[in-house]
């Protein structure tokens, strides 16, 4: 039997590309979006194979209600892909309280709510696969998107823990960690009110931008299909050619610093 996949943030970007690919492969797809009109063409093409559902992942009660609808409609949820998210652009100092909380509400708590909602179903099934769309920026950071970095670091910590807790129930967990891609997440208009002191750094970053470091969204489709069909999926999967070299560089630097201060660290143990 073909699996049933619940994917959030399916109106555009990765979510849209992956939802289309799953449907083309014959999967049953519950696709959520804030505006389900964006999914009308997929509904017209694939009929009962797709269940479009309106969802604001910030709303915990709505997230649980959507999961219940999917369970009732398809009878199972084999795979959850937590894809909904956005990026707040700006220096750490520039981010307002409201902007900071909103970034975490969507990227972290939205992921948490849907994860919590599907777990009772997957535990009862004694099977399932939870895929969290994180980022290379949950492993390494870049300036001027500090709140986004922080939200993805939080998703990483949550998911590592989750994997250890639910393995006993036959539930698999994967962190998908893309490097930059040509999606509208970076130019979405979510910008903090600027402080001029950071203008120079912002200009330098813009001038140093290399388009070759950004991947094509459509190129991720074969990787995601392979992931959902894997019998033993990995805990982590990079997407793109930039992520692994960057991660290696960052961890080499971290290890070198820890080693340099190792005597101080050990003495602090008592």
């Amino acid at each position: 039997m073909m699996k049933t996949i619940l994917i959030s943030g399916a109106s555009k970007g990765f979510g849209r590309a992956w939802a289309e690919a799953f449907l083309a492969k014959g999967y049953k797809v519950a696709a959520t979006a804030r505006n389900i009109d964006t999914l009308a063409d997929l509904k017209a093409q694939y009929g009962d194979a797709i269940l479009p559902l309106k969802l604001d992942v910030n709303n915990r009660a709505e997230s649980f209600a959507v999961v219940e609808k999917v369970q009732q409609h398809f009878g199972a949820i084999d795979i959850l892909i937590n894809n909904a998210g956005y990026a707040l652009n700006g220096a750490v100092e520039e981010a307002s309280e409201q902007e900071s909380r909103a970034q975490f509400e969507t990227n972290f708590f939205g992921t948490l709510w849907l994860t919590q909602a599907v777990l009772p179903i997957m535990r009862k099934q004694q099977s399932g696969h939870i895929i969290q769309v994180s980022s290379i920026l949950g492993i390494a950071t870049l300036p001027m998107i500090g709140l986004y970095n922080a939200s993805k670091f939080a998703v990483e910590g949550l998911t590592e823990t989750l994997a250890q807790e639910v393995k006993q129930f036959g539930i698999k967990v994967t962190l998908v960690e893309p490097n930059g891609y040509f999606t509208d997440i970076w130019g979405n208009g979510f910008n903090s009110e600027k402080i001029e002191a950071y203008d120079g750094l912002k200009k330098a970053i813009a001038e140093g931008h290399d388009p070759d470091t950004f991947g094509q969204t459509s190129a991720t489709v074969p990787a995601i299909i392979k992931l959902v069909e894997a019998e033993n999926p990995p805990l982590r999967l990079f997407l793109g050619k930039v992520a692994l070299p960057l991660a290696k560089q960052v961890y080499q630097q971290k290890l070198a610093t820890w080693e340099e201060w190792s005597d101080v660290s050990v003495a602090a143990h008592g």
Side-chain angles (χ1 to χ4, degrees):
M1 291 180 62
M2 295 306 289
K3 296 176 181 177
T4 297
I5 301 173
L6 167 58
I7 181 169
S8 67
S11 63
K12 53 190 175 182
F14 289 137
R16 172 73 184 208
W18 298 347
E20 286 190 67
F22 296 145
L23 289 164
K25 289 279 289 185
Y27 288 99
K28 300 173 184 176
V29 177
T32 79
R34 287 174 179 262
N35 177 11
I36 61 172
D37 290 344
T38 58
L39 302 170
D41 59 327
L42 294 182
K43 181 64 177 175
Q45 182 175 358
Y46 291 101
D48 293 340
I50 180 172
L51 176 65
L53 291 167
K54 183 179 181 298
L55 174 62
D56 176 358
V57 296
N58 297 358
N59 187 322
R60 187 176 190 270
E62 194 172 305
S63 296
F64 275 73
V66 159
V67 166
E68 185 176 353
K69 288 178 184 177
V70 177
Q71 170 68 5
Q72 290 176 350
H73 185 83
F74 286 125
I77 300 176
D78 300 299
I79 299 167
L80 166 66
I81 302 180
N82 273 310
N83 170 68
Y86 73 96
L88 174 67
N89 298 297
V92 170
E93 185 181 355
E94 292 174 327
S96 69
E97 178 181 355
Q98 182 178 358
E99 289 170 335
S100 303
R101 292 185 183 277
Q103 180 75 108
F104 269 78
E105 284 291 344
T106 297
N107 291 8
F108 177 74
F109 286 106
T111 294
L112 175 60
W113 303 150
L114 279 176
T115 298
Q116 289 180 332
V118 302
L119 281 172
I121 294 168
M122 291 184 174
R123 281 194 290 104
K124 186 176 181 180
Q125 294 171 172
Q126 289 289 293
S127 66
H129 188 184
I130 297 174
I131 299 172
Q132 318 284 44
V133 180
S134 178
S135 170
I136 181 58
L137 299 180
I139 293 172
T141 63
L142 291 176
M144 298 303 147
I145 42 176
L147 273 297
Y148 179 79
N149 294 335
S151 69
K152 293 302 185 179
F153 266 72
V155 168
E156 294 270 330
L158 176 77
T159 305
E160 279 191 21
T161 306
L162 176 70
Q164 297 172 68
E165 294 174 347
V166 302
K167 182 179 180 181
Q168 61 181 314
F169 307 121
I171 301 171
K172 310 290 178 33
V173 179
T174 299
L175 281 157
V176 170
E177 300 157 326
N179 53 219
Y181 276 82
F182 288 110
T183 71
D184 65 354
I185 189 172
W186 307 116
N188 53 21
F190 294 102
N191 301 300
S192 296
E193 186 173 348
K194 73 173 187 174
I195 297 172
E196 290 185 3
Y198 295 100
D199 286 353
L201 179 55
K202 291 177 183 178
K203 182 180 179 182
I205 292 170
E207 291 175 348
H209 171 68
D210 179 2
D212 189 52
T213 63
F214 278 68
Q216 299 293 335
T217 302
S218 59
T220 66
V221 167
I224 291 302
I225 295 296
K226 187 170 184 178
L227 178 64
V228 301
E229 293 181 348
E231 185 176 345
N232 295 299
L235 175 59
R236 284 189 163 82
L237 176 65
F238 281 138
L239 296 180
K241 68 181 183 181
V242 176
L244 181 56
L246 179 56
K248 286 182 176 180
Q249 177 186 339
V250 166
Y251 274 93
Q252 285 168 358
Q253 292 170 348
K254 288 183 178 183
L255 287 167
T257 301
W258 286 322
E259 289 285 356
E260 181 182 354
W261 285 80
S262 178
D263 291 346
V264 177
S265 303
V266 172
H269 189 76

